[in-house]
Amino acid sequence: LPAAYDELRGLLREAATLRSLGTLAAWDQETMMPPRAGAFRAEELALVSRLAHERFTHPRVGELLAACESDAGLLADSAESANLRGIRRDYERATRLPPGLVSEISRTSSLALEVWRQARGMSDFPSFRPWLDRLVALNRDKASCLGVPEGGELYDALLEDFEPGMTAARLEAVFAPLRRELAPLIAKAATSREPESVSVPVELQREFNLHVAKQVGFEFEAGRLDVSTHPFTEGLGPGDTRITTRYREDGFTDALSSTLHEVGHALYEQGLPKQERLGQPLGEPASLGLHESQSRLWENQVGRSRAFWTWALGEARRVCGEAVRSLTVEQIHRDVNVVRPGLIRIEADETTYNLHVMFRFDIERRMLRGDLPVAEVPSAWNARMAADLGLAVPDDRRGCLQDIHWAAGAIGYFPTYTLGNLYAAQLWETLTAEIGDLEAQLERGEFSGLVAWLRRNIHAHGRRHTAEELCRSLTGRPLDPQALISYLSRKHA
Ligand SMILES: [Zn+2]
């Protein structure tokens, strides 16, 4: 390989290594950090993120990239030329944003987060409104700097950060039929019955969750499972992937759902070729939507199946003993698949969840366009809760103030959750056909066949293709809501 490419990859690796130190500090903040360290931690994070940005946007990176782009040998290699296209895209996006705008967004959102926490606590949207106004305006500036694709809209420029290649118009085309088909399905399946509650000591749950994570294929020599208020996954680098979950004495199946979700993310991180490709597109996930498909697939398609619980309940009995003695596979299977419309997205069941996401997409897209004044967000929100889920929103705390995303300055993030569900269902159809006896494998607690399929077909490719290109090449079809609709219909039939 040419010397310019070596040097370029060295600089990218250094930028990624700096970012990784920031991520490690952020992981620590959520799991271990003492309360009074907050202000200094913010300084540490700001410094490493500035250094990483400077390293990545250095003019030398541009020179080396240009040299590589005129190297016939590199261009003839399809993997390396895809890698170079990805680096070019990232470099352009990073250098198009004026540093003043970047720091203004980060300063405004860290202040807005504080205001939002207070406002949510008191259900006081008016106090948050000017901050949301400001963040929408800043996001508009950001989108204009990044550039709107031909025939596209401002939203597309923001979406590109989370879901490369996706557009708002394409999302609308996929979401509209999904929303239409979910309504009758939910009306038929919805129940107000509360799942039976069992109490399992947290220490036993911890042991059970560690056991399942290990059995599924999470490599503990290359990762950790800890506890945090909001579960998350951080892929720090080669050999280091951190996940968290949370336990409640009466939340036995919830904790396992969280763990399986994060293990799904972690398997993707552990399956990326980071040793050779750290900081390069081919060593990074294709998109947040595809990342979410990996977590949802383990949480839902595996973790809510009868086959999985046939194995897992036996293990739970062995580890947790008396506490789970009364549970049956049928009961768990029914309880983890209940459809119960609610006000809160993060508590929503698998079926109603997508409605929460799709109306957030509509609202943020209209805010960005200027079609929906920020002052009217609560009424727009409440109207959609009534239309889509049949629920009256009693206050903004349980309405438009519930999520952190807008306060953190993130517009264009929400759709990736539903994209994850859509990709998971579509990939599941293909992989069950290809693996053949997957159900029998799950019943025996054998996960290596599934992990190997995901490794080979998804994880190993990094960001060589967009999520939808990968979906098309694996399933033979572009992204389409039918797989998710039929998966949910079969389940509730
Ligand atoms: Zn996730």
Side-chain angles (χ1 to χ4, degrees):
L1 293 174
Y5 196 44
D6 264 351
E7 188 182 342
L8 176 62
R9 294 189 306 171
L11 290 174
L12 297 180
R13 193 174 179 99
E14 284 182 6
T17 303
L18 285 165
R19 277 198 303 277
S20 163
L21 287 169
T23 313
L24 179 59
W27 171 82
D28 175 73
Q29 183 167 13
E30 299 300 317
T31 52
M32 302 282 171
M33 189 184 83
R36 277 168 53 197
F40 183 58
R41 182 54 45 88
E43 252 180 83
E44 294 175 310
L45 288 170
L47 177 62
V48 282
S49 103
R50 184 164 59 77
L51 292 174
H53 183 76
E54 282 170 9
R55 184 66 46 122
F56 182 65
T57 56
H58 196 280
R60 183 70 184 150
V61 171
E63 289 165 26
L64 293 165
L65 182 53
C68 294
E69 285 167 337
S70 58
D71 185 295
L74 281 177
L75 296 182
D77 181 322
S78 65
E80 302 311 337
S81 68
N83 204 33
L84 286 172
R85 279 196 305 277
I87 300 169
R88 167 60 67 193
R89 167 203 175 271
D90 296 347
Y91 186 71
E92 293 296 319
R93 285 180 69 79
T95 50
R96 266 181 214 158
L97 290 179
L101 179 62
V102 174
S103 60
E104 179 62 10
I105 291 175
S106 117
R107 200 183 62 84
T108 307
S109 54
S110 70
L111 295 170
L113 276 170
E114 281 315 300
V115 177
W116 166 75
R117 282 201 178 90
Q118 298 254 335
R120 184 181 58 165
M122 297 183 305
S123 205
D124 175 19
F125 183 78
S127 72
F128 179 58
R129 200 190 76 196
W131 291 91
L132 184 53
D133 247 327
R134 181 82 192 116
L135 286 169
V136 171
L138 286 168
N139 266 291
R140 249 181 235 132
D141 293 348
K142 180 182 172 185
S144 316
C145 291
L146 290 173
V148 173
E150 183 90 10
E153 59 186 78
L154 283 174
Y155 192 90
D156 298 342
L158 301 178
L159 188 57
E160 183 72 19
D161 264 346
F162 310 110
E163 198 65 24
M166 186 48 70
T167 66
R170 176 92 188 96
L171 283 175
E172 189 183 350
V174 176
F175 285 180
L178 177 61
R179 183 180 173 211
R180 213 168 38 238
E181 303 248 7
L182 280 177
L185 220 153
I186 290 168
K188 208 177 68 185
T191 163
S192 53
R193 193 179 56 81
E194 290 289 326
E196 238 147 299
S197 139
V198 290
S199 187
V200 182
V202 164
E203 197 36 53
L204 295 177
Q205 288 193 46
R206 208 184 70 88
E207 202 182 316
F208 176 60
N209 279 258
L210 285 166
H211 171 66
V212 173
K214 183 160 190 273
Q215 192 72 19
V216 160
F218 180 76
E219 295 168 42
F220 279 94
E221 307 73 33
R224 292 184 54 91
L225 169 59
D226 294 278
V227 169
S228 69
T229 319
H230 298 286
F232 65 90
T233 298
E234 292 290 9
L236 295 180
D240 197 353
T241 298
R242 312 285 175 102
I243 56 176
T244 67
T245 190
R246 60 179 162 197
Y247 303 108
R248 255 190 9 248
E249 194 128 305
D250 64 346
F252 172 71
T253 54
D254 288 348
L256 191 71
S257 273
S258 282
T259 300
L260 283 173
H261 182 101
E262 303 307 331
V263 164
H265 280 306
L267 289 172
Y268 193 4
E269 291 291 329
Q270 291 183 330
L272 291 166
K274 289 187 191 184
Q275 189 53 51
E276 319 83 75
R277 295 282 189 183
L278 185 68
Q280 302 169 41
L282 264 54
E284 287 169 354
S287 76
L288 286 194
L290 197 67
H291 222 307
E292 196 65 7
S293 77
Q294 300 305 288
S295 58
R296 299 290 169 144
L297 189 146
W298 286 96
E299 177 192 354
N300 295 332
Q301 272 79 4
V302 175
R304 295 182 203 283
S305 70
R306 191 186 301 271
F308 171 78
W309 278 104
T310 302
W311 168 76
L313 183 59
E315 300 303 293
R317 288 200 174 119
R318 204 167 51 69
V319 177
C320 305
E322 214 34 57
V324 296
R325 199 65 66 195
S326 67
L327 290 175
T328 63
V329 172
E330 283 61 41
Q331 182 193 337
I332 296 181
H333 184 243
R334 202 175 53 228
D335 285 351
V336 299
N337 286 296
V338 140
V339 178
R340 204 178 322 106
L343 294 166
I344 309 295
R345 175 184 61 87
I346 61 170
E347 294 168 3
D349 60 75
E350 186 188 8
T351 310
T352 57
Y353 187 90
N354 300 297
L355 292 169
H356 291 264
V357 171
M358 290 188 284
F359 78 68
R360 283 159 176 76
F361 160 65
D362 288 338
I363 288 176
E364 64 180 13
R365 184 184 185 196
R366 289 172 58 209
M367 276 199 295
L368 197 74
R369 279 177 170 172
D371 292 351
L372 178 69
V374 164
E376 288 170 26
V377 166
S379 55
W381 185 286
N382 299 350
R384 282 292 289 269
M385 275 307 285
D388 290 3
L389 288 139
L391 297 171
V393 180
D395 49 41
D396 293 333
R397 185 169 61 84
R398 284 170 282 182
C400 67
L401 287 175
Q402 66 181 265
D403 290 312
I404 198 171
H405 305 62
W406 294 337
I411 294 180
Y413 190 114
F414 280 122
T416 65
Y417 294 124
T418 285
L419 285 171
N421 289 330
L422 292 164
Y423 283 130
Q426 206 164 326
L427 292 169
W428 189 255
E429 276 189 355
T430 300
L431 71 87
T432 44
E434 288 183 14
I435 298 177
D437 67 337
L438 181 59
E439 201 173 316
Q441 294 180 19
L442 297 181
E443 281 174 2
R444 295 193 299 267
E446 282 174 29
F447 304 101
S448 56
L450 175 52
V451 173
W453 193 95
L454 297 170
R455 286 261 190 276
R456 188 171 64 247
N457 291 295
I458 295 170
H459 307 169
H461 299 290
R463 187 147 58 85
R464 181 164 179 173
H465 316 280
T466 68
E468 190 164 12
E469 283 163 3
L470 196 59
C471 168
R472 190 194 291 265
S473 79
L474 290 173
T475 70
R477 283 175 301 147
L479 178 66
D480 126 29
Q482 209 43 56
L484 180 60
I485 292 165
S486 38
Y487 159 76
L488 293 171
S489 309
R490 264 197 316 278
K491 174 175 285 196
H492 299 304

